[in-house]
């Protein structure tokens, strides 16, 4: 009888990036078991997935998730919060708990989606929590072969965080939320998903931390983004500077409103620190030399693909 396809465990499959990773893994021959909180399964992509109900707080569900798997892709994470505890509960403690179980059961390969923000942990509770999650995994390096990706801003169909900015570009406006001379990298979500697949297949690569982007050397400047948006719409695009004082005032209002509503805010004073950081540039050299992967979709193409009206993200 033929060997069954390899089985991989995936966290975060109901999120934007996780949904794309699930699609890619299924399309390339993996069986995928996903960790889902009860009631959240309706947010999963329409794919043949093995569902394990539970959470990163529940060790017994993590043991069920990891039974007989050949690899783990850890994509789950918290991006909204106020205190360090809000972020650490999942991004640090949740990662440590999952990694410990994976090491105990002898998982062959771990691939983690971290964030370029982890490079600058002093900027925000989110950035520090992602660094702590990396450190929790690295501490088990002698028992758990791992690869960590630090992507910059990830965009594509199904994304809700960058979509308002991309739609504003399509209307001819680019809000400048940082210094005009700042530079930043980007990556289209499908390229990131392909990199995850390449990492799972790279059995001889271990204990590797990779920055990863779309290969645009030196990142993008705001002027380059403006030029790409103007080419996309075939009309001029106007840059609208957003003063730091206004941005921070909006963050304080968002924080106050979130406390009244009992919901976690996206825009906070700490998030402003991240948004205004002048250097979010990646270097793709190491990942391209190590894995069988190359980025395929620059922002000039990714912008059009993201805004195309016929995009399906189910």
């Amino acid at each position: 009888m033929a060997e069954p396809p390899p089985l991989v465990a995936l966290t975060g499959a109901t999120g934007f990036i996780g949904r794309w990773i699930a699609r890619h893994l299924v399309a390339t021959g993996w069986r995928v078991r996903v960790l889902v909180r009860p009631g959240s399964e309706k947010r999963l992509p329409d794919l043949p997935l093995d569902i394990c109900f539970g959470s990163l707080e529940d060790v017994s569900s993590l043991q069920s998730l990891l039974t007989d798997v050949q690899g783990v892709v850890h994509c789950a994470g918290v991006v909204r919060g106020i205190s360090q505890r809000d972020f650490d509960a999942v991004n640090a403690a949740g990662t440590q708990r999952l990694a410990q179980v994976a090491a105990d059961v002898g998982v062959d390969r771990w691939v983690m989606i971290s964030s370029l923000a982890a490079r600058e942990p002093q900027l925000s509770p989110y950035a520090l929590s992602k660094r702590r999650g990396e450190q929790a995994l690295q501490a088990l390096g002698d028992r758990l072969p791992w690869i960590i990706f630090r992507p910059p801003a990830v965009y594509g169909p199904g994304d809700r965080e960058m979509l308002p900015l991309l739609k504003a570009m399509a209307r001819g406006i680019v809000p400048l939320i940082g210094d005009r001379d700042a530079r930043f990298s980007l990556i289209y979500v499908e390229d990131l998903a392909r990199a995850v697949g390449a990492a799972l297949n790279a059995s001889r690569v271990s204990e590797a931390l990779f920055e990863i982007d779309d290969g645009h050397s030196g990142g993008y400047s705001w002027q380059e983004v403006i030029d790409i948006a103007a080419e996309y719409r075939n009309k001029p695009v106007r840059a609208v500077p957003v003063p730091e004082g206004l941005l921070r005032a909006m963050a304080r209002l968002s924080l106050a409103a979130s406390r009244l509503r009992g919901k976690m805010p996206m825009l906070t004073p700490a998030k402003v620190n991240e948004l205004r950081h002048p250097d979010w540039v990646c270097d793709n050299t190491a990942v391209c030399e190590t894995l069988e992967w190359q980025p395929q979709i620059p922002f000039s193409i990714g912008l059009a693909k993201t805004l195309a009206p016929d995009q399906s993200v189910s």
Side-chain angles (χ1 to χ4, degrees):
M1 296 179 63
E3 288 284 334
L7 176 63
V8 63
L10 172 64
T11 69
T14 59
F16 162 55
I17 296 174
R19 289 166 65 89
W20 277 91
I21 291 173
R23 289 188 203 96
H24 176 76
L25 294 179
V26 169
T28 52
W30 288 86
R31 290 182 296 145
V32 180
R33 181 184 294 156
V34 297
L35 181 68
V36 180
R37 291 181 181 274
S40 298
E41 63 272 18
K42 60 186 177 181
R43 295 165 49 200
L44 289 169
D46 185 15
L47 296 168
L49 303 172
D50 178 9
I51 300 177
C52 176
F53 289 105
S55 71
L56 293 174
E57 293 80 28
D58 179 15
V59 172
S60 63
S61 66
L62 299 183
Q63 291 169 336
S64 298
L65 173 73
L66 301 183
T67 299
D68 297 326
V69 303
Q70 283 73 56
V72 175
V73 177
H74 181 40
C75 188
V78 169
V79 296
R80 294 173 181 261
I82 299 173
S83 70
Q84 190 66 57
R85 181 180 297 180
D86 295 334
F87 292 100
D88 280 349
V90 172
N91 297 347
T95 298
Q96 194 281 331
R97 199 173 294 114
L98 180 63
Q100 184 66 60
V101 175
D104 290 344
V105 302
V107 169
D108 294 333
R109 172 53 46 92
W110 172 295
V111 180
M112 175 177 169
I113 305 299
S114 182
S115 169
L116 193 59
R119 193 173 71 188
E120 305 290 345
Q122 77 285 355
L123 288 179
S124 67
Y126 169 75
L128 179 56
S129 72
K130 297 303 282 188
R131 173 67 74 86
R132 287 174 171 171
E134 293 178 354
Q135 292 170 336
L137 178 58
Q138 291 164 342
L140 294 168
D142 59 335
R143 300 175 55 206
L144 182 63
W146 54 264
I147 292 176
I148 296 172
F149 288 120
R150 282 182 177 176
V154 184
Y155 70 100
D159 172 39
R160 296 181 180 179
E161 303 302 338
M162 284 191 63
L163 187 59
L165 175 62
L166 301 185
K167 285 185 173 180
M169 292 180 186
R171 294 192 297 267
I173 298 173
V174 174
L176 297 183
I177 55 178
D179 192 287
R180 186 180 285 269
D181 295 328
R183 299 194 70 87
F184 46 87
S185 294
L186 299 167
I187 189 166
Y188 188 70
V189 65
E190 190 174 2
D191 273 343
L192 180 57
R194 289 192 307 101
V196 169
L200 284 173
N201 290 321
S203 59
R204 297 182 181 179
V205 180
S206 180
E207 298 186 35
L209 191 157
F210 296 122
E211 295 184 356
I212 183 169
D213 71 345
D214 66 5
H216 190 77
S217 181
Y220 293 89
S221 67
W222 282 110
Q223 187 58 54
E224 287 172 300
V225 167
I226 290 168
D227 292 342
I228 289 169
E231 182 177 358
Y232 165 77
R233 67 192 303 267
N234 200 27
K235 294 179 181 179
V237 170
R238 182 165 62 96
V240 179
V242 179
E244 180 179 0
L246 175 60
L247 192 60
R248 293 195 179 277
M250 292 169 59
R252 290 192 294 270
L253 287 174
S254 173
L255 191 60
S258 71
R259 285 170 172 155
L260 291 174
R261 297 194 307 265
K263 294 183 179 181
M264 292 297 184
M266 187 65 194
L267 185 63
T268 64
K271 177 59 68 173
V272 173
N273 295 340
E274 296 176 29
L275 293 173
R276 291 190 57 82
H277 187 65
D279 178 13
W280 289 123
V281 177
C282 289
D283 183 349
N284 248 358
T285 303
V287 64
C288 292
E289 289 179 349
T290 307
L291 302 180
E292 293 185 7
W293 175 87
Q294 293 286 336
Q296 297 180 357
I297 303 173
F299 185 59
S300 56
I301 296 174
L303 176 63
K305 290 172 70 71
T306 301
L307 296 176
D310 60 344
Q311 279 285 3
S312 174
V313 295
S314 63

